[in-house]
Amino acid sequence: MFMKMLVSSLIRRRSRMLVALIAIAIGATVLLGMVAISFDIPRQMGREFRSYGANMILVPSGEDALVKLSDAERAAAFIPKEQLVGMTPYRYEIVRINMQGYTAAGTSFDDVRRTSPYWNVNGEWPKGADDILIGSDIAEFTRITPGTVIAITGRSGSGARFKRDMTVSGIVRTGSVEDAFIFMHMPTLEELMGDSGTAEVVEISVATSEAGLGELVSRIEAEVPGVSPRLVKRVTQSETAVLSKLQSLVFLVTLVVLALTMICVATTMMTVVMERRKEIGLKKAIGAGNRSIAAEFIGEGLLLGVAGGLFGGVCGYFFAQAVSMNVFGRSVYLDWKLLPLTAAVSAVVTVAACLGPVRRATDVEPALVLRGE
Amino acid sequence: MNILELKGISMIYGQVKALYEVDLTVEQGEWLAIMGPSGSGKTTMMNIIGCMDKPTDGSVTFDGQEISKLGPSELTAIRRDKIGLIFQQFHLISYLTALENVMVAQYYHSMIDEDEALQALERVGLKDRAKHLPRQLSGGEQQRVCIARALINYPRLILADEPTGNLDETNEGVVMDILSKLHGEGSTIIVVTHDPEVAEFAEKTVFLDHGRINKIVRNSRPANAKTDADALKAAGAL
């Protein structure tokens, strides 16, 4: 009979209950959407942050002057594939153009594009073995433009002189010290220097949190003694700060939405109680105790909360997808455990919102309402 | 044997004496009518007898139990277990069917029994309207559902407040006949009414005026108080 009364009350008085249901569903939609996005922000923003450059570098450990590329590969193997955005080695040597000395960096341009997507290249990225990029500072000083062929001279590791004509495919501007460098393919530089397999530094871009990076550093330090991994603090710390603020903002918005939902449901339930004073008075007159009256209203609230929570939860998934696609351009990962959790939170919020109105309901004097006061 | 005994009952709101030192006894199986003009204290008396209010002074003994000092939950229990209430405005729950309205009283009392609720509706001639909502029933039918609900828990006392106040003559006859049958089966009935014709069904009429009992008249049932058998048949109550 209890369920029959609850269900009949909800179904046969659906216009009023629909208002409460919609309020709860909207609250649940925003709740699930925000929580899903909040959980997914580190993953989504982690990818976004990777456009600001590498967050870990590998430098030689101990007294070694160079990092062995084989050691760097071993270190990279500890990074989960889905987190590894890119790994770029840099080897620096001194070369000359028209007798003027410059720093030449051998690297992998495909990897540079992944770890340093902020590089602005005027012209084209190098393709052939003799294609090079020159920094914007050098280009300004020497008035070299893309397409120019220049002679690179220098001495190899054994001291032998070399001279090679190379084509400037583009001018790179990074806003940093790289603007004074010449960049060429790593095999080309290794050929000129007469040795291979080493680099001064290896930049790694990993899409994970500061804590995750810290764990990787510890692991690499322990397992690969030839390299010393270090975090790029300015990147990792600002990432953590931004993520923390974003998550706090989402948390705050979620709290506000929950509070608004609670107010809306409480107002609706208060109206329901006022409308049903005669019914409450009658029930008390024919023998309903305060507990029965309270149980009926809380039961209605519970049903509304669960129904609104489930419906709103499903809508919340689409809401989160829409927000994620618009803001991050990627779909959001949704943990389906959030759906029953949202229904449970909605039920708790709705029941809490019902407590005030229920108290008013139990205060109803049957004699007063039955004679129309 | 007295089922109800009021001794020196007063109900005072500020300076207003709604009831003042009222004494009254009602015997088991008796049919009592309470009459009086507006403001005479009828409703206050009904609320006290119906355990919906407590007197400011005096004692009320109902079914051998002093109830004037009981708390709200104890009074609720007495209403639930021993009193059947019939209202002028019917007061049916709008979203429940006739059958469910009767079963609600069972639910608060102990446990529901659909067959028994159907039998109660059958007694008032409404078995075939059991699945109808109150808005699908006429005033007379709603009042009969109200009576079925009042009877379902076999109350010691049936307390009716203007039971025919909102009914036409035909339905008034139907309702009074049902009450007469209940009285014939031994039920104790107290009816609060403005209508002398309704009061004449009772064995005793108490006249209230300004919160005091003015007089108590023992009725001899008049000929014009007979039931309208045709109307009853037409309404399906017989």
Side-chain angles (χ1 to χ4, degrees):
Chain A
M1 191 66 205
F2 178 73
M3 284 310 291
K4 192 175 274 187
M5 278 199 287
L6 294 194
V7 173
S8 297
S9 170
L10 294 178
I11 291 175
R12 292 177 184 151
R13 299 171 58 258
R14 52 183 165 268
S15 57
R16 173 66 66 193
M17 289 306 170
L18 209 57
V19 176
L21 192 71
I22 289 171
I24 297 162
I26 290 173
T29 299
V30 179
L31 176 67
L32 185 134
M34 286 298 191
V35 170
I37 290 168
S38 169
F39 281 157
D40 213 35
I41 273 180
R43 189 177 72 96
Q44 301 278 14
M45 292 301 289
R47 291 272 165 187
E48 295 296 323
F49 281 128
R50 298 291 36 85
S51 62
Y52 296 106
N55 48 3
M56 185 195 289
I57 56 171
L58 300 179
V59 293
S61 66
E63 293 176 358
D64 293 341
L66 297 168
V67 174
K68 286 180 188 159
L69 292 180
S70 56
D71 284 344
E73 293 292 342
R74 279 178 58 209
F78 290 107
I79 303 169
K81 275 188 178 172
E82 67 277 9
Q83 291 182 6
L84 181 61
V85 177
M87 183 177 80
T88 309
Y90 290 95
R91 173 175 177 177
Y92 301 108
E93 299 292 346
I94 300 298
V95 296
R96 291 178 185 277
I97 302 172
N98 291 334
M99 303 301 287
Q100 180 70 39
Y102 295 103
T103 302
T107 188
S108 158
F109 289 107
D110 288 340
D111 289 327
V112 168
R113 289 192 200 204
R114 284 193 281 270
T115 53
S116 303
Y118 59 91
W119 279 21
N120 182 10
V121 173
N122 177 19
E124 289 185 356
W125 285 82
K127 286 177 188 150
D130 291 338
D131 288 348
I132 59 170
L133 286 180
I134 61 169
S136 57
D137 290 353
I138 302 173
E140 253 176 53
F141 180 68
T142 58
R143 298 189 184 282
I144 292 172
T145 56
T148 307
V149 176
I150 54 173
I152 303 279
T153 58
R155 286 177 186 273
S156 68
S158 60
R161 290 180 182 277
F162 64 79
K163 181 186 176 203
R164 189 149 172 174
D165 289 340
M166 302 185 111
T167 304
V168 176
S169 64
I171 313 293
V172 64
R173 184 183 295 277
T174 67
S176 186
V177 291
E178 291 94 339
D179 290 354
F181 291 179
I182 296 168
F183 292 95
M184 62 182 69
H185 290 287
M186 181 68 97
T188 305
L189 186 65
E190 287 175 339
E191 190 186 325
L192 293 175
M193 291 299 138
D195 58 53
S196 63
T198 57
E200 259 81 9
V201 64
V202 177
E203 290 187 0
I204 303 178
S205 185
V206 189
T208 188
S209 62
E210 192 176 10
L213 283 170
E215 282 176 25
L216 281 174
V217 165
S218 308
R219 190 130 184 239
I220 292 169
E221 271 177 342
E223 303 285 340
V224 189
V227 296
S228 174
R230 290 178 192 171
L231 295 183
V232 182
K233 291 281 183 186
R234 63 186 162 87
V235 176
T236 53
Q237 284 179 348
S238 57
E239 273 183 34
T240 306
V242 171
L243 282 179
S244 159
K245 282 179 181 166
L246 259 177
Q247 285 184 313
S248 300
L249 183 68
V250 169
F251 179 68
L252 201 65
V253 170
T254 308
L255 270 188
V256 169
V257 168
L258 279 179
L260 288 177
T261 305
M262 207 161 160
I263 290 168
C264 191
V265 173
T267 309
T268 309
M269 290 307 282
M270 192 62 88
T271 311
V272 167
V273 167
M274 294 311 285
E275 280 178 353
R276 293 168 68 183
R277 282 181 82 231
K278 277 200 173 172
E279 178 194 322
I280 297 163
L282 167 79
K283 285 178 173 173
K284 291 182 95 170
I286 64 175
N290 285 343
R291 279 188 185 179
S292 297
I293 299 291
E296 284 170 32
F297 276 91
I298 288 173
E300 281 185 21
L302 201 61
L303 276 184
L304 276 175
V306 171
L310 285 174
F311 177 65
V314 172
C315 294
Y317 171 70
F318 293 105
F319 170 68
Q321 284 293 9
V323 170
S324 184
M325 290 305 289
N326 279 300
V327 176
F328 303 113
R330 281 187 288 269
S331 66
V332 69
Y333 166 76
L334 185 75
D335 186 347
W336 284 103
K337 284 196 285 291
L338 285 178
L339 192 59
L341 199 67
T342 303
V345 171
S346 295
V348 169
V349 166
T350 311
V351 167
C354 286
L355 293 180
V358 163
R359 192 173 171 80
R360 289 286 288 269
T362 55
D363 285 344
V364 167
E365 295 271 353
L368 293 180
V369 292
L370 293 179
R371 65 171 182 256
E373 288 178 24
Chain B
M1 178 193 169
N2 293 337
I3 190 166
L4 179 71
E5 212 171 309
L6 309 184
K7 276 189 187 164
I9 287 297
S10 293
M11 190 68 169
I12 298 169
Y13 302 104
Q15 300 294 316
V16 180
K17 293 174 179 173
L19 282 179
Y20 190 67
E21 293 187 352
V22 170
D23 296 320
L24 179 70
T25 54
V26 180
E27 287 177 26
Q28 172 99 44
E30 194 175 20
W31 184 338
L32 181 83
I34 300 174
M35 287 193 76
S38 295
S40 60
K42 299 191 300 291
T43 304
T44 305
M45 195 165 192
M46 178 184 157
N47 287 341
I48 290 171
I49 295 170
C51 295
M52 290 188 277
D53 218 339
K54 288 193 289 187
T56 46
D57 203 7
S59 72
V60 181
T61 306
F62 177 65
D63 201 21
Q65 184 183 8
E66 161 61 41
I67 61 169
S68 58
K69 302 289 185 286
L70 296 181
S73 58
E74 290 156 314
L75 291 175
T76 298
I78 293 173
R79 284 199 301 274
R80 183 178 61 219
D81 298 336
K82 297 184 176 179
I83 298 173
L85 290 166
I86 300 169
F87 306 99
Q88 180 180 2
Q89 304 289 340
F90 324 133
H91 292 309
L92 300 181
I93 298 172
S94 60
Y95 54 83
L96 296 181
T97 62
L99 180 67
E100 289 163 353
N101 264 285
V102 177
M103 287 162 70
V104 162
Q106 288 181 318
Y107 167 68
Y108 291 132
H109 180 266
S110 49
M111 57 193 295
I112 58 168
D113 181 340
E114 191 170 329
D115 290 338
E116 197 177 19
L118 270 173
Q119 280 171 21
L121 282 174
E122 193 172 16
R123 281 181 80 183
V124 296
L126 284 178
K127 191 179 179 184
D128 56 336
R129 310 285 275 169
K131 300 290 182 189
H132 288 64
L133 291 170
R135 65 170 179 271
Q136 297 166 321
L137 301 172
S138 70
E141 288 171 330
Q142 287 188 50
Q143 187 59 294
R144 283 189 273 154
V145 175
C146 183
I147 293 172
R149 181 180 64 193
L151 302 179
I152 192 68
N153 294 323
Y154 306 99
R156 302 279 287 143
L157 171 68
I158 294 170
L159 190 55
D161 180 19
E162 301 281 9
T164 59
N166 274 347
L167 302 181
D168 58 28
E169 200 173 335
T170 306
N171 279 304
E172 181 179 314
V174 172
V175 167
M176 292 316 294
D177 183 68
I178 293 169
L179 291 179
S180 297
K181 279 172 70 180
L182 291 172
H183 181 239
E185 290 165 8
S187 292
T188 307
I189 300 174
I190 297 178
V191 176
V192 175
T193 182
H194 272 104
D195 187 347
E197 287 190 19
V198 171
E200 280 173 356
F201 279 83
E203 293 156 310
K204 211 162 69 177
T205 302
V206 173
F207 289 89
L208 284 175
D209 193 18
H210 291 96
R212 289 174 181 273
I213 292 179
N214 199 9
K215 59 181 173 181
I216 298 176
V217 177
R218 188 160 287 281
N219 300 328
S220 56
R221 184 162 296 192
N224 65 357
K226 71 178 187 303
T227 56
D228 185 339
D230 292 336
L232 291 172
K233 279 175 187 165
L238 289 179

